[in-house]
Amino acid sequence: MGWFWADASPSAAQTPSGHPAVKADMTPPPGCPMHQKSMDVLSGQKPEQMQVPAKSASACPVPHATQTAGPSASSCPVPHTTQPEEKPKSLLSQLNPLNYMFPDLSQKQAPNQTYDLPTSREPSTIPKGTGDGNWEYPSPQQMYNALLRKGYTDTDITAVESMVSVHNFLNEGAWEEIMGWEKRFAKGLYHGWQVCKRGEAHAEEEMDRHWDGVEVEPSLMKFQGRPKDLTPKATMLQVLGWIYPAKYGTEPPFDRHDWYVSRKVNGEERLVRYVIDYYSGEPEADGEPVFYLDVRPAATPQGAAERIIRWTTDVWWKGMGGDRREQDSQPFSRQNASKIWNSSS
């Protein structure tokens, strides 16, 4: 559950649970601090092992490691890291307490910059928790300035636009998965069970059947990058990979994000934390990079109940042959009775 992919065709790369992959049409540059292994893949090199870099592009649309500052409140929905100012200030005085971001990002060209980068900013489909529109991704020029500020002076400036597109694409995929959870459980666990009881294949059908005319409208309040903190699920998969490497062997996620989503429950706002593990897979045959996003509610009592309902109902429906039983006109009890009668005779 909770995996996002761009294409239906599965990847040959090993994944924590065998789900298809996110294929990015755009290619990030080698200087991007987001996912070091992916950069090696894009440059034709294959690293010996996965590394979790100290990711830090303050304008990059995907949250990264240890933070000292980040982009503006109207920028992309993910926290990032940047170098402190020449005159250090209090961290709290530099960050917006709502979203942990810098109040401004420069659109001016960097010194000695000879290649023009766009300054237009792409709006996301992710509503702000403040209610004033959607989050906005940084422009390529802002991205490049942030990379230089952090010290990534070897960044290929001609690839910055592609990197922005890849990062925006991953964020949109993460929000799409979160929306899938919200549509199931924002109206309560019982509604979620009604939607999930016939498995994932019939979820959209059940959503239409049990729709009450009220749209689910979650919004993103804040976010946090925690690349060095393995989630319990990621830790468990690493242990299983050590015990059964042929089936579960995979490298740890290169990044982790916690997204805090505002959910309306009986007219009241409730903050729901979602956990996102980012995995980098082996590239496609044509060299396109592959990413896996494992998105699910955090393991709070409410989140754990949602995860159990969605997972167990899908397993139960498939294990009991639900689709086949629905196609058979005979009641399930009569089918079993005939089997018992034939076996006794």
Side-chain angles (χ1 to χ4, degrees), residues 22-24 26-28 38 41-42 166 281-284 287-291:
V22 175
K23 292 178 60 181
M26 301 295 186
T27 303
S38 301
V41 169
L42 294 171
V166 171
E282 294 298 328
E284 293 290 322
E288 290 187 12
V290 176
F291 307 101

Side-chain angles (χ1 to χ4, degrees), residues 116-132:
D116 291 336
L117 288 172
T119 58
S120 59
R121 304 179 66 178
E122 178 184 347
S124 74
T125 62
I126 307 173
K128 293 181 183 179
T130 55
D132 55 344

Side-chain angles (χ1 to χ4, degrees), residues 181 233 296-299 302-312:
W181 285 97
K233 181 177 180 180
R296 69 275 186 197
Q302 175 75 20
E306 294 176 5
R307 290 160 69 169
I308 290 172
I309 290 173
R310 188 172 179 182
W311 180 76
T312 56

Side-chain angles (χ1 to χ4, degrees), residues 46-95:
K46 185 174 181 180
E48 293 298 326
Q49 59 182 3
M50 170 74 76
Q51 298 179 353
V52 180
K55 312 168 187 66
S56 58
S58 65
C60 166
V62 179
H64 303 35
T66 56
Q67 300 181 8
T68 56
S72 72
S74 64
S75 74
C76 96
V78 197
H80 312 74
T81 165
T82 55
Q83 291 285 4
E85 300 286 344
E86 292 181 2
K87 296 181 180 180
K89 301 178 181 179
S90 166
L91 180 62
L92 293 178
S93 69
Q94 299 181 62
L95 299 182

Side-chain angles (χ1 to χ4, degrees), residues 93-296:
S93 69
Q94 299 181 62
L95 299 182
N96 184 328
L98 177 65
N99 51 36
Y100 312 128
M101 291 187 180
F102 259 134
D104 186 32
L105 283 171
S106 175
Q107 291 275 26
K108 296 181 179 179
Q109 288 195 355
N112 303 320
Q113 179 179 335
T114 59
Y115 184 87
D116 291 336
L117 288 172
T119 58
S120 59
R121 304 179 66 178
E122 178 184 347
S124 74
T125 62
I126 307 173
K128 293 181 183 179
T130 55
D132 55 344
N134 292 354
W135 291 94
E136 193 174 30
Y137 294 120
S139 69
Q141 183 64 60
Q142 288 177 314
M143 169 79 78
Y144 185 63
N145 289 340
L147 290 171
L148 294 180
R149 182 178 183 179
K150 185 57 183 177
Y152 292 90
T153 56
D154 60 341
T155 299
D156 182 1
I157 191 173
T158 64
V160 172
E161 291 184 65
S162 298
M163 180 172 62
V164 171
S165 297
V166 171
H167 291 184
N168 296 359
F169 175 78
L170 291 177
N171 274 330
E172 293 298 318
W175 184 249
E176 182 179 334
E177 286 295 310
I178 289 175
M179 285 296 297
W181 285 97
E182 289 295 303
K183 289 179 181 179
R184 287 166 171 80
F185 296 102
K187 298 177 181 179
L189 293 178
Y190 179 68
H191 179 269
W193 176 81
Q194 288 180 311
V195 171
C196 297
K197 63 184 178 181
R198 295 175 62 224
E200 285 294 294
H202 300 282
E204 293 292 335
E205 178 185 342
E206 293 299 322
M207 285 182 193
D208 293 338
R209 179 179 299 176
H210 296 284
W211 188 57
D212 58 2
V214 179
E215 293 287 350
V216 174
E217 298 179 348
S219 58
L220 181 60
M221 297 291 292
K222 58 181 181 179
F223 23 76
Q224 183 180 12
R226 303 174 60 185
K228 295 183 179 180
D229 299 333
L230 279 182
T231 61
K233 181 177 180 180
T235 302
M236 180 183 65
L237 290 173
Q238 291 303 301
V239 173
L240 290 174
W242 177 71
I243 300 174
Y244 304 107
K247 185 174 183 180
Y248 296 102
T250 184
E251 293 173 327
F254 62 77
D255 207 353
R256 168 191 172 176
H257 306 161
D258 286 12
W259 288 22
Y260 294 81
V261 174
S262 175
R263 173 190 294 181
K264 290 184 179 180
V265 180
N266 298 326
E268 298 182 358
E269 297 287 339
R270 178 180 296 176
L271 202 61
V272 181
R273 180 165 63 96
Y274 282 88
V275 178
I276 308 171
D277 282 328
Y278 289 76
Y279 293 87
S280 182
E282 294 298 328
E284 293 290 322
D286 57 2
E288 290 187 12
V290 176
F291 307 101
Y292 303 88
L293 277 62
D294 189 1
V295 184
R296 69 275 186 197

